[in-house]
């Protein structure tokens, strides 16, 4: 389960925008639990809302499964090969082994899941917050270029 905390400032300048940001997020996930608390400080009063959630429509069994190239249909294989090229080019640039960036099994899982954003990418086996922050924008760019 994931958690995200929002602060809804009560002044007219920020309240509507803070609410809009939180509402947009709530529409994009499956909310499991919420907790709110009114906070008063010397400078500002606000509502703090903790949202416990799961990604909407993410099938964890599918994403956590290990794939081989034989499991990939032609368009997924094309995506996998494009991701391999990106990874190998980056590894060469950094003078690293390619597996330090991510394994082929991770690239195959990405090709199968075809994530549309960083949030979906982070829920793929092998991709947590750190790897998604490091490589997520590049991976989504590769997927969008296909």
């Amino acid at each position: 389960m994931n958690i995200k905390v929002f602060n809804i400032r009560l002044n007219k300048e920020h309240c509507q925008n803070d609410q809009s940001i939180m509402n947009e997020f709530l529409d994009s996930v499956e909310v499991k639990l919420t907790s709110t608390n009114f906070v008063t400080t010397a400078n500002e009063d606000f509502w703090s809302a903790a949202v416990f959630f799961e990604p909407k429509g993410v099938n964890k069994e599918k994403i956590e499964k290990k794939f081989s190239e034989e499991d990939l249909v032609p368009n997924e294989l094309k995506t996998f090969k494009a991701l391999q090229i990106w990874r190998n080019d980056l590894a060469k640039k950094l003078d690293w082994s390619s597996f330090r960036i991510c394994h082929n099994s991770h690239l195959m899982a990405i090709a199968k899941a075809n994530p549309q954003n960083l949030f979906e990418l982070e829920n793929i086996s092998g991709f947590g917050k750190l790897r998604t922050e490091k490589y997520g924008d590049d991976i989504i760019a590769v997927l969008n270029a296909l």
Side-chain angles (χ1 to χ4, degrees):
M1 189 174 321
N2 302 296
I3 184 172
K4 186 160 177 88
V5 177
F6 295 91
N7 291 328
I8 308 297
R9 297 167 286 187
L10 299 180
N11 61 37
K12 288 183 182 183
E13 181 181 338
H14 297 104
C15 187
Q16 188 66 34
N17 187 48
D18 291 349
Q19 286 181 33
S20 295
I21 291 169
M22 187 172 84
N23 288 336
E24 183 177 323
F25 175 80
L26 293 173
D27 287 341
S28 70
V29 298
E30 184 180 328
V31 177
K32 297 295 185 182
L33 179 70
T34 61
S35 176
T36 58
N37 195 22
F38 187 73
V39 179
T40 302
T41 67
N43 299 327
E44 190 170 37
D45 295 337
F46 58 92
W47 279 100
S48 181
V51 179
F52 297 84
F53 67 95
E54 291 291 341
K56 219 179 229 184
V58 173
N59 181 346
K60 292 221 176 226
E61 283 181 29
K62 176 184 171 192
I63 290 176
E64 291 176 3
K65 180 182 183 240
K66 297 286 184 193
F67 296 102
S68 67
E69 285 190 50
E70 293 79 35
D71 294 323
L72 303 176
V73 297
N75 66 324
E76 294 167 345
L77 187 58
K78 179 182 173 186
T79 300
F80 169 63
K81 295 297 183 186
L83 289 167
Q84 275 187 312
I85 291 168
W86 160 79
R87 182 205 52 199
N88 294 342
D89 288 348
L90 179 60
K92 186 176 180 180
K93 179 180 168 186
L94 297 172
D95 198 26
W96 287 358
S97 297
S98 59
F99 69 84
R100 281 186 67 188
I101 297 169
C102 55
H103 295 272
N104 281 341
S105 60
H106 301 146
L107 299 180
M108 286 182 233
I110 293 168
K112 277 296 217 187
N114 193 27
Q116 299 300 301
N117 55 52
L118 297 177
F119 185 75
E120 291 176 3
L121 179 63
E122 192 174 326
N123 287 288
I124 293 174
S125 179
F127 276 81
K129 189 172 186 75
L130 183 61
R131 187 171 275 159
T132 300
E133 285 175 1
K134 280 185 169 182
Y135 310 117
D137 289 332
D138 289 347
I139 290 169
I140 297 298
V142 169
L143 296 175
N144 288 334
L146 297 174

